[in-house]
Each structure stands twice: as C-alpha cells, then as structure tokens.
Amino acid sequence: MITEDLLRISSNQGVSSVDSSHLSRLINASVSDCANGSTDHSNSNVSDDAISKCTFTPGGRRYYVPISIDEACIPVVNKLFDSMEEGMEFYQAYGRLSGFNTRRSTEKTDDDANIVSKYVVCSRAGFNEKKLVVSNKKSSQVKRRRTVSNRCGCGAKIILRVVSGKTYRISTFVEEHNHDLVPKSGRQFMRVNRQMSIISRKFVFDAANVNIGVSKSHSFMKEQVGGYANVGATVRDFRNFRRDLKAYVGERDAQMIINKFKSKHASCESFYYAYDVDSEDHLTKLFWADAVARRNYELYGDAVSFDATFDTNMYNMVFCPFTGVDKHDKCVTFGFALLSKEDIPHFQWTFDHFRKAMGRNPLVIVTDQCPAMKQAIPISFAATDEFPATRHRLCMWHIMEKFPMKLGNYLCKETDFMEIMKKYIWSSTLEPAEFEKGWTSVLKEFELEGNRWLWEMFASRTSWIPAFFRDKPMFGLMRTTSRSESENNFFSRFHRQSDSLCEFYLRFGSAMDRQRYEYARLNQEDLSAIPSTVSKLFIEADAAQLYTRPIFYKIQQEILASCYDMRIQDIGPLVDGVKCYIMKDVLMKDKLFEVKVSQNHDDCSCKKFVMCGILCRHVFCALNHFEVVKIPRLLVLNRWSRTAENRPSSSKFVGVSDDFRKMETVSLMVSNIWFSFQKSMNKAGVDVEKLSYVDKVVKQLNSDLGDGIGLTKKAHMEVMMGPQPTEDITIHAPNQCKNKGSGFKRTCPQKNNSSAGDAEKNKSSTEKNKSSTVDVTGEVEVDSGHEN
C-alpha cells in the first residue's frame, strides 16, 4: 500500500528520471530491513558518489556513517596525541572530511585543575531548551524572533583522556550520526570550513581602507580564488570580522590613536602631532603632519586653503585639512586636524600648531565665510620679526554657490544675470573702481539695489573679488573651482561616518597614499617625455623644458595668444635696458596694457605673474618683439618647475628607526611574494599538469613550514589596528559633537547678525574653562585660552 501510494505521488509530481521498478525495490528493501531488524551495513544501498551509508535499527531509526575517508584520518580508540588541542583538531579535521561540525563539550579536571578528560561531540548533539516568554500582552501581540535549531541529539563523539603529562588518547569513539551528513556541495557553509584565514582577514581589512564594503570585498575575493567555495567564509563572516575590529577598538579609540602617534614620532621625529582633552579627559582636538606633508609645505605652502568637512567619523568631529597647489596644479595636503567644535578657541589652537609644525606663516589663507575663522586667523598668523602676517581671503566658489539660494533659481538660471555678474566678479584685469561701477550697474539693471545679502557681499569685496588683490600671490586657489571642495570630495571617497578614529586614520592613510602616488606618477611622466610645441618660437621650446606639463600647457596658450591676439600700439625708447610697450588685446576690446621688458625681467599691468606665478600673453608678445629667446630665469617660479624638489630643505628630517624600516621591509616582502605567486599561477594557466605541480610545491612548502597555526585572530587585529593600551585609559573617546552639517540645521548668514556677540561669548567662556594641551614633546601644559 505504501509502495503504491509513493509510486502514485511520484507519477503525479512528474518524476520521470526515477524508474518505478527501481523505486519499488528500494522501498521493499528498506521495509524488509526494518521488519527483520537488520543492521548489516552490507545491505545498505550506497551509490558511487555517496558520502555516507545509512542503516536502520530495529526500531526504525536511521544512522549514518561517513564513507570514503582516508583511514589515517579516522579516529580509532587508543590513538595518542601530544596535546589535547591536537586531538580536538584531529577530530575537527575528520568532521570536515565527513560532513559535520564539531564542538567542545564536557570536561573533567583533577584537584589541581588539570583536564583529565575532554568530550568533543558533533555540533548537533543535545537539544535546545525552549525559553518561556512571560508577557502581559496577548500571545498574538508578542513579537518573537524567528529562530531555528540544528540540535537533534546526535551521539557521535570522541572522549580524550589524559595518559601522562600532556599526552592524551582516544578512549571512546562513537561513529554513527542520527542525521544526514553535509553533502560536498554544502561543505563550504560548514562552520569548520568558515574559519577566516590570515589572508581573508587581511583582505577585508585592506578593502575597508579604500572604502570597499564587505559584500563587494567578498565578491572580489571570490574572483581571485576561483569560486565562492574557495573563499573559506561567507559574507556574514566578513561582516562579523568588521564588527570584531570595531569591538577590538571600543572605548580605547582615542587612547589607541594617540599611542599610534607616539610610536610614529618615536620612529620618525619629523612626524608632528598635538592633541587636547577636556576636563573629563575626552579628546576634543587633534592635529598631525608627517614629514612628507611638512616638506610639501616648504615647496608649495605660500598659499593655503583651509576648510572644515563633515561625515568623517562616528563622533561628528570636523575634519580640517590644510590644502595647497603643487607643481602639477593638483591639490596637496600639508596638515590635518580633527575638532569637536567650530569656534574661535578650536580654530586658534589648530592654526597655532600648524604654524609651529611648519615653521612659518603662509602668505595667504583661503577659507569660507566662517566668522570664527575670521577672528582666529589674525591672532594665530600675526606678523613676526621674521615673517609677515598672513592675508585672509574668502573662497569665491563657496560664495558663488550661494547666489541661487539667496536670489532665487529663476534670476540666476533663467536670466543672464549671472553671466553679466561673472564678467565683473571673475575678471582679474579690472581695477577696483571698474568693478564697483560694474557691480552697481548690474544691481540697478536687475532692480536689486535693496538686496541685503548682495550689499553684505559688496561690503566684503576686498576679501574675495580678484580686482582687489591682483598684486597678491594666490596660485590658483581662487579660480573657477574650489580647492577645498575638491579635497573634500577626494577624502569622502575613503571615509564613512561610522568610522572610529582608528579606522578613520587608516583610511586617511590610504587617501594620502593615493594622492602621493599620483604626484609620483606625474613626476615620472615629466621626466620621461617633453611635450610637443606648436609654434617655432624658441621661447616655447624653452618653456617645455622648464615647466611641468600642466603648467606648460597654460603657458603655451599664452604664447599662442601673444602671436594672434596682441596688437602693439606704442613702443617707448630703450632706457637703462628697459623698453616699454603699450599693447591691445583684441579679445578685450578697448583694454590697453603696459609692459616693461628687459633681458632679465618684465612687468605687466595685468599683474597675472604676481597673482598666478605664470607669465601673461602681453609679456610674451613683448619678449618676442624684444628678441628674447629664453624665459628670464628670475620669472620662473620654483613651485612650477619640473625640478621643484631639488630645492634644499631647511627642516631636519630625521631618518626612521630600524623598527620602522623592518616593518616596511616585511610589507614589501609580502607584496613581492604575492606578486610571484600570481605570476606562477598565470604561467600555469589551465594546464592540469602545471597546476598539479604548483599544488605539489605549495603542499610541500606548507609541510616545510611546520604545523604553526600562525597569528590568532586577536593577534592579527593587533597587527592591523595597533596594540590595545595595557595601562589605564587616560584619553577617552570624544563625545558626540554638534557641528554644522552633522544633522543640525545651519543658520543662514543673512539671518545671523550676532557674530560679534558670539565672539564675546566665546571669549568669556574661555576664561571660565581650562583644558590640558599635549604637544609632540609629550609635555602637558594648562592653557586657559582653550575652551572645553
């Protein structure tokens, strides 16, 4: 009857691949075994690709025994092991080959707390206890978590008993399981096969440093190792390891980052750092600059952009990079700060340590319209006997972005208002009086004379309109794009708001490696090739030899414009080797320019060389007429030259210690080994014989290296994240900060007229609070000028 029902069900479900007579024979054999109580394994039906054979007890229960296992891997009673751990690992390896997980269970100890026996069982041994949920609500209203259980009371196990000393033997071995074993297709999901190796942990860690999530890193590793089965872990395992890294740092976050900075300074004295804590020892301020950043400041630190960014760490601390322009016209970063507040004391503390680390004031610093920065900059970058005061300028990009918000999208995008206004705002050839006249005419044309915000911007015109500082060096920091915004976008590709300070610093290191890699790549391109010239002028060929490629292309445009767009109106007499030219630019209608030229020097009324460090088209026209075939070397700024790094350094860059060199050597060796292995695999390709040879060599290598288990999980995390503090934590993690852009509404500038009053409040609050500031020397000084 049972056979007929099963055959009918099989037929109705469309099972066509199983012969009905064969199915009938299997069922009859099974029923016969149950009726006779046969437990003879020889009567079991086992296919060629089976992983276990099934037997039945007289009561009808099934038991499964692994098959096709190497006899050397099967536990036997009285087998000896040198340690208990070795015995447990042996049974675990047997479970991996058989298709079941193992777990440690009961143990017995003697009076001296020495383990005399240890049970290692199948992971499905025992049963889960049902927890009683007590609630005043009705059962239908209580939300219960959906759970599953794999416990089924399996009795498979081994018992290890001590023989003498640390030697253990298998005293009991139960081979039968009361459940199906895991087939080969599912072995990759077994817990015993999901132990993340050192390679997997390092891969997840490195992927996180470049802002690659666990899901993508798991997929990428699958492509590298040839399949998901070879990864050795699931996406959840990857995610759990990321969670464990955060738990490893935990409340020790601030202490670990400061300890890391201390070790860096001990390895390289050119690494500068300083930090500040509040009255409860919570980190509030952090500044650092390494040797490369300080050297870059020596070369390109004449003009600096400073901006506060957000969404960079879990505490909402503001990330503030000091940015400049390098010889390739790219962003270069000089110093870095994390601040818990955006007020005068915090910015002043940052500027003070930036000046201390770099040794001098920048010529000009560009910021947004933050009133706290406006008051802190004159204090920190005041004039000294050796250096002049730093000039403060406002970023034009930030201001121009506010026009649609302040004046409306219709006026700015549907009319020609912005096109007309930009002619006066962006022009660096206008005189201040010409700009003021043009600004007033535009406001009158569009009936905006009563707009308060426009008049506020007009009142601060000396800080952001190029017409008012044409004779001051800016080196591209106020042109069409914002250097700070570009830098912010660059760092945002590496950071996440959920980062701890330790994670933030690791990802920051990846970002700086990328920036410096690009710098080195552009250097190599400059050394390996010379850009082609367009004209037959010797002065263009000379420029190709002197300048970096991006700067040369700008100069090339000026040279070509000097040939086609310039008209000489008047030429003065030669006086003391200097000749004066009056020329007209056909692209600028009635505008005339005065150029004074000699064999070694020149001066143009457009002031482009002073502001940007690049000769203008007017000068090139005059030099060509004056028969100068090479650019006067006094007019070639070192910051734009191909050999800018050859300038001697005035700072002391102390060599790194032997320990630091050792770490660099180990890192290089690991990279070279990986490269060599990948090269070998590429040569093997899909040739079975070559792959077999590689497999044989790798197995032999593993045998030669011994049975060491390598780094433990905690030890590996210590290598990656740094050691945990052994002493009491003296620097606690920052409190959650409430800065602009951290989820709180930002007050519009036109509605906030209390900047002066806020400044007075800040000054009064600093007199009531004290905090300890620690600089690179490790000395602690009480500073009443810093707000907690």
Side-chain angles (χ1 to χ4, degrees):
M1 186 67 180
I2 296 177
T3 304
E4 294 177 357
D5 291 341
L6 290 177
L7 292 174
R8 189 181 300 110
I9 293 172
S10 175
S11 177
N12 290 337
Q13 291 180 347
V15 179
S16 59
S17 60
V18 180
D19 185 8
S20 298
S21 61
H22 179 62
L23 178 62
S24 177
R25 288 194 300 272
L26 290 178
I27 295 176
N28 290 334
S30 299
V31 173
S32 176
D33 288 342
C34 294
N36 298 330
S38 174
T39 59
D40 186 5
H41 295 175
S42 62
N43 294 330
S44 301
N45 295 280
V46 182
S47 60
D48 295 337
D49 58 348
I51 60 172
S52 64
K53 53 186 177 182
C54 175
T55 60
F56 291 85
T57 64
R61 293 184 179 180
R62 297 181 181 182
Y63 284 93
Y64 299 85
V65 177
I67 61 175
S68 302
I69 306 296
D70 188 356
E71 292 184 0
C73 300
I74 301 177
V76 292
V77 177
N78 293 328
K79 183 176 179 62
L80 299 178
F81 301 97
D82 294 333
S83 65
M84 185 182 64
E85 291 292 334
E86 184 181 348
M88 291 189 293
E89 289 177 5
F90 179 82
Y91 191 58
Q92 186 182 58
Y94 169 70
R96 180 186 296 109
L97 297 173
S98 303
F100 68 94
N101 289 308
T102 64
R103 60 182 171 88
R104 304 179 184 188
S105 186
T106 308
E107 64 182 29
K108 295 181 180 179
T109 58
D110 57 15
D111 296 337
D112 297 328
N114 297 319
I115 299 177
V116 296
S117 66
K118 182 70 176 181
Y119 286 65
V120 187
V121 300
C122 173
S123 63
R124 303 188 67 175
F127 298 93
N128 282 341
E129 297 181 1
K130 294 184 178 180
K131 297 182 179 179
L132 179 62
V133 179
V134 179
S135 175
N136 295 329
K137 300 181 181 180
K138 295 180 180 180
S139 59
S140 60
Q141 297 177 345
V142 178
K143 293 184 178 180
R144 295 182 175 88
R145 182 180 179 184
R146 294 180 176 179
T147 59
V148 296
S149 173
N150 65 347
R151 301 288 182 89
C152 60
C154 180
K157 64 183 176 181
I158 63 169
I159 302 177
L160 297 170
R161 298 189 184 277
V162 67
V163 177
S164 61
K166 296 183 178 181
T167 304
Y168 287 79
R169 69 178 181 89
I170 298 178
S171 63
T172 303
F173 171 48
V174 179
E175 188 178 15
E176 293 82 7
H177 298 259
N178 66 349
H179 57 84
D180 291 332
L181 300 180
V182 179
K184 293 182 179 180
S185 61
R187 297 280 176 89
Q188 57 180 308
F189 304 108
M190 294 172 55
R191 188 180 68 245
V192 69
N193 289 325
R194 288 168 45 200
Q195 303 296 328
M196 291 190 66
S197 63
I198 295 177
I199 296 175
S200 299
R201 293 195 293 262
K202 185 66 165 58
F203 187 85
V204 175
F205 178 76
D206 292 339
N209 288 343
V210 291
N211 206 12
I212 297 178
V214 291
S215 180
K216 287 186 177 180
S217 61
H218 185 267
S219 300
F220 183 59
M221 191 170 187
K222 168 256 180 183
E223 298 295 334
Q224 282 194 323
V225 299
Y228 287 112
N230 299 329
V231 174
T234 63
V235 176
R236 182 174 294 276
D237 296 325
F238 276 39
R239 187 172 290 110
N240 289 343
F241 178 69
R242 288 281 300 275
R243 175 205 62 196
D244 295 340
L245 282 176
K246 285 185 177 292
Y248 174 82
V249 175
E251 297 179 353
R252 299 171 288 271
D253 195 9
Q255 187 71 59
M256 289 178 63
I257 194 69
I258 297 302
N259 290 350
K260 182 174 293 187
F261 281 2
K262 289 180 179 179
S263 63
K264 279 183 170 292
H265 176 68
S267 299
C268 180
E269 293 184 8
S270 295
F271 182 86
Y272 181 95
Y273 75 98
Y275 67 94
D276 191 14
V277 296
D278 60 14
S279 58
E280 297 179 352
D281 293 330
H282 289 282
L283 185 68
T284 58
K285 310 180 189 76
L286 182 62
F287 174 84
W288 71 97
D290 60 10
V292 178
R294 295 171 75 182
R295 172 58 175 165
N296 286 335
Y297 182 81
E298 279 194 317
L299 299 174
Y300 314 113
D302 32 28
V304 175
S305 174
F306 178 78
D307 191 23
T309 62
F310 312 102
D311 298 336
T312 52
N313 56 79
M314 60 190 296
Y315 310 104
N316 289 327
M317 295 184 76
V318 184
F319 177 53
C320 307
F322 291 84
T323 307
V325 181
D326 64 16
K327 66 178 184 178
H328 302 289
D329 201 28
K330 301 292 185 181
C331 289
V332 59
T333 314
F334 306 130
F336 322 91
L338 285 170
L339 303 177
S340 59
K341 291 184 180 179
E342 294 179 88
D343 56 12
I344 297 175
H346 282 68
F347 286 133
Q348 184 179 341
W349 180 91
T350 304
F351 296 149
D352 289 343
H353 281 285
F354 179 76
R355 187 191 68 250
K356 184 178 180 180
M358 303 306 168
R360 63 175 175 87
N361 295 340
L363 297 179
V364 61
I365 186 169
V366 182
T367 70
D368 58 14
Q369 293 174 276
C370 177
M373 294 182 191
K374 182 178 179 180
Q375 299 196 42
I377 287 173
I379 300 174
S380 298
F381 297 127
T384 62
D385 296 337
E386 189 175 358
F387 303 106
T390 299
R391 295 183 299 275
H392 182 204
R393 298 289 180 260
L394 300 180
C395 178
M396 296 182 67
W397 187 89
H398 286 95
I399 296 176
M400 297 302 293
E401 285 292 299
K402 293 181 180 180
F403 268 79
M405 180 181 67
K406 299 297 183 180
L407 304 179
N409 287 327
Y410 175 77
L411 179 65
C412 297
K413 297 181 180 180
E414 302 296 332
T415 68
D416 57 351
F417 167 77
M418 290 302 297
E419 294 298 325
I420 300 175
M421 183 64 80
K422 286 179 180 179
K423 293 179 181 179
Y424 298 101
I425 292 177
W426 288 108
S427 177
S428 58
T429 60
L430 292 177
E431 296 294 337
E434 294 175 316
F435 164 78
E436 293 173 355
K437 182 179 178 181
W439 177 283
T440 304
S441 65
V442 174
L443 266 59
K444 184 177 180 180
E445 179 183 352
F446 290 91
E447 300 180 354
L448 296 172
E449 297 94 331
N451 187 280
R452 180 181 176 183
W453 181 77
L454 286 176
W455 283 109
E456 287 179 354
M457 293 298 97
F458 182 75
S460 60
R461 59 190 179 279
T462 57
S463 298
W464 66 284
I465 298 298
F468 290 88
F469 41 85
R470 295 165 55 212
D471 57 343
K472 308 297 181 184
M474 295 302 301
F475 303 112
L477 281 180
M478 298 195 60
R479 302 312 300 166
T480 53
T481 57
S482 168
R483 292 290 175 173
S484 295
E485 200 66 22
S486 175
E487 190 83 336
N488 298 349
N489 179 63
F490 170 72
F491 282 113
S492 66
R493 287 178 286 173
F494 291 86
H495 298 302
R496 294 185 179 182
Q497 192 174 7
S498 59
D499 289 345
S500 64
L501 292 181
C502 291
E503 290 176 312
F504 167 82
Y505 183 72
L506 290 170
R507 297 190 181 191
F508 158 82
S510 297
M512 294 311 301
D513 289 343
R514 176 63 178 271
Q515 184 185 95
R516 291 164 183 175
Y517 163 78
E518 288 296 322
Y519 181 82
R521 182 183 65 83
L522 293 174
N523 278 348
Q524 179 58 32
E525 288 182 357
D526 274 338
L527 294 175
S528 60
I530 301 296
S532 59
T533 58
V534 178
S535 69
K536 296 182 179 181
L537 298 176
F538 292 108
I539 202 167
E540 184 186 2
D542 185 49
Q545 297 285 341
L546 291 175
Y547 294 100
T548 60
R549 193 174 303 178
I551 304 303
F552 167 73
Y553 290 144
K554 292 184 177 183
I555 291 180
Q556 189 179 54
Q557 292 179 356
E558 300 296 324
I559 293 175
L560 295 179
S562 70
C563 299
Y564 300 111
D565 300 333
M566 296 296 106
R567 302 293 183 268
I568 298 177
Q569 301 293 316
D570 189 22
I571 302 176
L574 184 64
V575 180
D576 297 331
V578 178
K579 184 175 289 189
C580 182
Y581 292 85
I582 304 297
M583 60 183 61
K584 178 182 178 181
D585 191 336
V586 297
L587 300 179
M588 301 187 67
K589 295 184 179 180
D590 299 329
K591 189 73 175 178
L592 297 178
F593 298 92
E594 181 182 19
V595 184
K596 296 180 181 179
V597 177
S598 67
Q599 289 290 339
N600 300 317
H601 194 65
D602 78 87
D603 182 28
C604 181
S605 59
C606 75
K607 304 295 184 183
K608 181 171 185 175
F609 178 76
V610 178
M611 189 175 184
C612 302
I614 298 175
L615 294 177
C616 62
R617 58 194 63 188
H618 320 114
V619 170
F620 281 116
C621 180
L623 290 175
N624 186 35
H625 188 273
F626 202 63
E627 297 182 353
V628 176
V629 296
K630 288 189 176 182
I631 300 176
R633 294 307 185 254
L634 294 177
L635 304 179
V636 179
L637 296 186
N638 181 75
R639 66 166 359 267
W640 300 132
S641 67
R642 301 171 65 192
T643 58
E645 294 85 355
N646 294 344
R647 172 184 170 184
S649 174
S650 59
S651 300
K652 296 180 180 179
F653 293 94
V654 182
V656 296
S657 66
D658 294 338
D659 291 339
F660 187 78
R661 286 200 182 102
K662 182 179 179 181
M663 293 174 60
E664 291 294 316
T665 302
V666 171
S667 177
L668 181 61
M669 289 182 64
V670 170
S671 299
N672 290 338
I673 292 173
W674 269 112
F675 178 78
S676 299
F677 181 74
Q678 291 289 345
K679 187 176 180 180
S680 300
M681 291 299 296
N682 290 336
K683 289 183 176 181
V686 294
D687 191 316
V688 177
E689 294 183 0
K690 292 181 178 179
L691 289 174
S692 299
Y693 174 74
V694 173
D695 182 56
K696 178 181 177 181
V697 172
V698 171
K699 288 182 178 179
Q700 183 62 41
L701 179 63
N702 290 331
S703 176
D704 295 341
L705 292 175
D707 298 329
I709 59 175
L711 290 174
T712 63
K713 183 178 181 180
K714 184 175 181 180
H716 197 192
M717 287 192 294
E718 180 176 339
V719 172
M720 293 184 289
M721 302 295 294
Q724 293 179 331
T726 55
E727 67 281 355
D728 294 336
I729 298 177
T730 58
I731 305 172
H732 299 287
N735 295 317
Q736 284 294 324
C737 308
K738 298 180 180 180
N739 290 304
K740 295 179 292 184
S742 59
F744 298 88
K745 188 174 181 181
R746 188 168 184 170
T747 305
C748 293
Q750 63 179 7
K751 297 181 180 180
N752 184 11
N753 300 319
S754 58
S755 59
D758 293 340
E760 293 297 328
K761 291 179 181 179
N762 286 332
K763 291 181 180 179
S764 61
S765 63
T766 56
E767 297 175 357
K768 299 178 182 179
N769 298 288
K770 294 183 178 181
S771 62
S772 59
T773 301
V774 182
D775 61 7
V776 67
T777 60
E779 299 176 355
V780 180
E781 58 182 13
V782 177
D783 189 351
S784 60
H786 297 330
E787 180 184 358
N788 293 335

